[in-house]
Amino acid sequence: MINILKDGEKRTVLFLMISLPALIISFFNIGGFAFDAAWIAVLLCGIPIVKEAVTGFVTEFDIKADVLVSIALVASVIIGETFAAGEVAFIMTIGAYLEERTVAKARAGIEGLIKMTPSTARRLKDGKESVVPAAEVLAGDILRVLPGETIAVDGIILKGQTSIDQSVMTGESLPVDKKEGDKVSSGTVNQFGSFDMKAEKVGEDSSFQRLVRLVESADAGKAKIVGVADRFATWIVVIALLSAAITWFVTGEIIRSVTVLVVFCPCALVLATPTAIMAAIGNASKYGILVREGDALERLSKVKCVAFDKTGTITYGKPAVSAVVPIEDISAKELLEMAAALEQRSEHPLGKAIVKHYNHLSETAPPEAEGFRMNTGMGVTAVWQGKRVYAGNENLLKEYAIVMPESLKKESEAARENGGTVIYLAIEGKAVGLIVLSDTLRPQIADIVGEIHKTGITTLLLTGDEKNAGVHMGTRAGILKIHTNCLPEDKLSVIKEYEKNGEPVCMIGDGINDAPALKTAHVGIAMGGIGSDVAIEAADMAFISDDIKELPHLLKLSKQMMKTIKVNLVASMALNFLAIALAITGILNPVLGALVHNVGSVAVITSSSLLLKWRS
């Protein structure tokens, strides 16, 4: 790749602005200068190209496009075609500049995140507030965040209410209301109220820094197809030199040989792939998808199966109340209120889920229960409205000799068959109902799966859940093939079996247990927000907002990218061969040859840049 923008984009633009009028003056012979004004373009735009070519050739024996361009430049000057040399240098510089702009635009959305990294935080210590570098914040520190400030680390709100702009992490356009007990992420912006928070994940462990690491690892240069284009470009240099020599020997006209060198330059071929890949990576980033490996999109285009983990992938991975079932003379509302009062002091995730559900439905906090007692591994008991009440599993009922009615058993069995977890409730030794908690399917997951099927790709569910729960969730999501009771090694075996049968698999997961499958699959995609670090490091891509609604777009984008690359390669080679034939026959001179050839480079860059805004 010709890279002449190392010393800065501004200088390149300045050189182009000076060279353009110089070439116009030379072409129309304006002003009667003592020297050909095209020399200005040769010096400003040509010398950087020649310098880089010589450096690469001498230090690394790197024979790439810039070597051939340099030879064409020098040959044009030697035979007196100064304008052709200046034009070649000028158009090559424009091509490199446009490529750089395409890459910069593609990266702009994700690289901008790095500049947004919070630099300071307000730490509260011994009743005093001090501003400290974000890097010095430790887990457990109490921080204060004022309106308009960026949150420095991940944590939980201890005091205050506010609205948070989470667009940098989730893409949500509207601020999200937050209150005491809610989690907040680093890099998001506090909109209105001030609040105090407890730091939980700091430094490199914070959500924002994990996001930055993913961004920094995105690299189009790793794509295998780029290597093919580079190797092909190297052979073109050799073929071009031989063709130019043969043309000179047969025709005796050195100007034809120089023209052959000019039109043989494989810039369009070399630009065809990386510009398309970077544009596609930029497109994906706009939809909350970060691509860690350059060849991941190329591999994704060949996928025949998409395999989902269940918990945290097609579901939220957190328990939520799905049913409140009273069986005695008590309403569902009273049963939920009693359970929330009992579980207020519980640290158990199921208890917290019940309290959260109550708070969501009620404008007031649940009434206090007295005499709270936790029975480890069974549940809790307390006094509520003057009565001894109980909430827990079957073992708790047995512990207190509470009889379970047949109707309650049937409700419990039905809930378990659908993958639910049951909390039994009792008053004064008598069972009065149950609450079912289950993982919740992500919204629109059935629509997402349906869109995947429309692309001709089949879907799998690989879950460690028992059969009834796994089949229930998979069927509701519309997934075609469901594999349950899967340990990590079982997931590996399923993936390997499909790939052995010629069906490359894209695995999507979030947990540590998914890491081997993510690494083994043809393409691995992790849930970047709630996913474990191990899973993210094993994956090729990540959904930064844990929302997989853009998965169908990603699959289609990968195919469109490959289509663009193939069109770019075929068109650039066809134009090259046509221009070579015209150069050998003497129809093209060096000036026209440079113009025709570089039209191809600009066309390739333009074609690739269309991927930035592409959507099916």
Side-chain angles (χ1 to χ4, degrees):
M1 184 71 59
I2 300 174
N3 178 16
I4 57 177
L5 300 177
K6 291 181 179 178
D7 297 326
E9 187 177 302
K10 290 183 179 179
R11 189 176 69 177
T12 302
V13 173
L14 178 62
F15 285 179
L16 288 171
M17 291 175 64
I18 295 172
S19 298
L20 178 59
L23 288 171
I24 294 173
I25 290 170
S26 173
F27 186 78
F28 293 104
N29 196 21
I30 301 171
F33 291 100
F35 64 94
D36 189 339
W39 275 106
I40 295 175
V42 172
L43 295 174
L44 295 181
C45 297
I47 286 180
I49 296 174
V50 175
K51 180 182 176 183
E52 183 169 332
V54 171
T55 302
F57 183 79
V58 172
T59 59
E60 301 177 18
F61 198 65
D62 186 21
I63 305 175
K64 294 292 174 66
D66 50 7
V67 173
L68 187 53
V69 173
S70 299
I71 293 172
L73 282 174
V74 174
S76 297
V77 170
I78 289 174
I79 66 171
E81 291 284 352
T82 309
F83 177 80
E87 185 192 22
V88 168
F90 178 75
I91 297 180
M92 292 295 180
T93 303
I94 287 179
Y97 175 72
L98 289 177
E99 179 200 359
E100 187 72 13
R101 292 300 300 165
T102 300
V103 172
K105 190 173 182 182
R107 284 187 178 273
I110 49 181
E111 288 193 338
L113 296 173
I114 298 173
K115 297 179 182 178
M116 295 167 61
T117 302
S119 57
T120 60
R122 297 176 185 273
R123 184 164 58 192
L124 300 178
K125 193 172 184 179
D126 300 327
K128 296 181 180 180
E129 178 183 311
S130 59
V131 178
V132 298
E136 294 182 9
V137 175
L138 303 176
D141 282 352
I142 307 301
L143 307 178
R144 176 163 292 164
V145 184
L146 301 182
E149 292 184 340
T150 301
I151 300 172
V153 299
D154 294 5
I156 187 169
I157 295 179
L158 300 177
K159 182 180 179 182
Q161 293 182 336
T162 186
S163 292
I164 301 292
D165 178 0
Q166 300 184 150
S167 58
V168 68
M169 297 297 293
T170 67
E172 293 174 284
S173 58
L174 297 176
V176 177
D177 293 335
K178 298 283 186 178
K179 60 182 185 301
E180 292 176 13
D182 288 341
K183 291 184 179 294
V184 291
S185 300
S186 60
T188 57
V189 180
N190 183 26
Q191 295 273 282
F192 306 117
S194 63
F195 62 89
D196 296 344
M197 61 176 282
K198 180 182 179 181
E200 292 185 333
K201 291 184 177 181
V202 302
E204 294 299 313
D205 294 327
S206 70
S207 299
F208 197 80
Q209 288 304 317
R210 285 169 62 185
L211 175 60
V212 170
R213 288 200 300 275
L214 285 172
V215 172
E216 290 175 333
S217 65
D219 180 12
K222 294 179 182 178
K224 295 175 183 177
I225 195 165
V226 172
V228 172
D230 282 344
R231 288 195 296 273
F232 192 59
T234 302
W235 281 107
I236 279 185
V237 173
V238 177
I239 296 170
L241 293 175
L242 289 174
S243 299
I246 293 170
T247 300
W248 188 12
F249 178 77
V250 173
T251 66
E253 296 182 29
I254 193 170
I255 193 168
R256 293 195 189 188
S257 299
V258 173
T259 306
V260 168
L261 291 175
V262 170
V263 299
F264 231 129
C265 295
C267 293
L269 180 67
V270 176
L271 294 176
T273 301
T275 53
I277 291 175
M278 290 310 302
I281 289 175
N283 181 306
S285 73
K286 289 194 299 183
Y287 294 100
I289 305 161
L290 289 177
V291 182
R292 299 184 65 238
E293 300 290 343
D295 66 338
L297 285 170
E298 180 189 349
R299 285 184 274 124
L300 187 63
S301 68
K302 301 172 183 176
V303 160
K304 298 293 178 63
C305 303
V306 172
F308 296 94
D309 171 49
K310 182 183 79 71
T311 306
T313 302
I314 67 169
T315 69
Y316 282 111
K318 296 179 181 178
V321 174
S322 56
V324 179
V325 184
I327 61 167
E328 291 293 330
D329 189 20
I330 184 173
S331 68
K333 182 179 179 181
E334 289 174 316
L335 191 67
L336 178 62
E337 182 180 292
M338 182 186 87
L342 260 171
E343 299 286 4
Q344 264 196 105
R345 298 183 184 180
S346 173
E347 290 298 317
H348 195 283
L350 297 180
K352 289 183 177 181
I354 291 173
V355 174
K356 182 179 179 179
H357 184 70
Y358 176 86
N359 289 335
H360 178 70
L361 297 177
S362 175
E363 295 181 358
T364 60
E368 286 284 339
E370 300 174 350
F372 176 85
R373 185 166 70 238
M374 178 177 288
N375 296 64
T376 304
M378 292 185 286
V380 297
T381 69
V383 176
W384 176 70
Q385 296 183 350
K387 301 174 182 178
R388 171 63 61 177
V389 293
Y390 309 82
N393 56 26
E394 288 183 60
N395 292 330
L396 184 75
L397 299 186
K398 292 176 182 177
E399 177 74 13
Y400 291 96
I402 298 171
V403 178
M404 187 188 303
E406 281 300 316
S407 59
L408 199 63
K409 286 183 180 179
K410 290 180 180 178
E411 292 284 357
S412 174
E413 289 170 2
R416 286 200 175 95
E417 284 183 3
N418 290 330
T421 300
V422 175
I423 298 293
Y424 298 100
L425 294 147
I427 301 176
E428 295 291 354
K430 183 180 181 180
V432 294
L434 58 82
I435 291 178
V436 181
L437 297 101
S438 57
D439 206 351
T440 308
L441 277 177
R442 293 181 181 274
Q444 302 176 324
I445 185 65
D447 293 335
I448 293 168
V449 171
E451 285 296 314
I452 293 172
H453 293 158
K454 288 179 183 178
T455 66
I457 296 174
T458 192
T459 50
L460 318 173
L461 180 65
L462 306 180
T463 176
D465 287 7
E466 57 89 25
K467 186 174 181 179
N468 287 336
V471 170
H472 174 71
M473 283 295 193
T475 302
R476 285 179 60 196
I479 294 173
L480 297 179
K481 301 176 183 179
I482 301 169
H483 300 262
T484 56
N485 297 305
C486 290
L487 297 174
E489 54 267 33
D490 298 321
K491 293 182 180 182
L492 276 183
S493 299
V494 172
I495 290 172
K496 287 179 179 178
E497 185 64 27
Y498 276 94
E499 299 205 339
K500 182 181 177 181
N501 294 329
E503 297 183 79
V505 176
C506 169
M507 175 69 193
I508 305 175
D510 72 301
I512 292 176
N513 65 321
D514 295 319
L518 289 168
K519 199 72 175 176
T520 301
H522 202 60
V523 179
I525 305 179
M527 309 298 286
I530 63 170
S532 72
D533 288 335
V534 175
I536 292 172
E537 289 301 320
D540 302 297
M541 308 181 196
F543 291 104
I544 62 174
S545 65
D546 289 328
D547 190 344
I548 62 174
K549 67 180 181 182
E550 295 300 340
L551 179 58
H553 169 68
L554 182 63
L555 293 167
K556 295 172 185 176
L557 176 64
S558 69
K559 295 181 184 297
Q560 183 65 24
M561 183 198 78
M562 292 306 297
K563 180 180 177 181
T564 299
I565 288 174
K566 290 172 182 176
V567 169
N568 285 350
L569 291 173
V570 171
S572 61
M573 285 191 288
L575 184 61
N576 260 25
F577 288 128
L578 176 61
I580 290 163
L582 295 175
I584 291 174
T585 56
I587 297 175
L588 291 182
N589 59 31
V591 174
L592 290 177
L595 184 61
V596 170
H597 169 68
N598 285 285
V599 163
S601 297
V602 174
V604 160
I605 294 168
T606 303
S607 170
S608 295
S609 67
L610 295 177
L611 284 172
L612 283 167
K613 296 183 178 180
W614 183 87
R615 189 164 179 93
S616 175

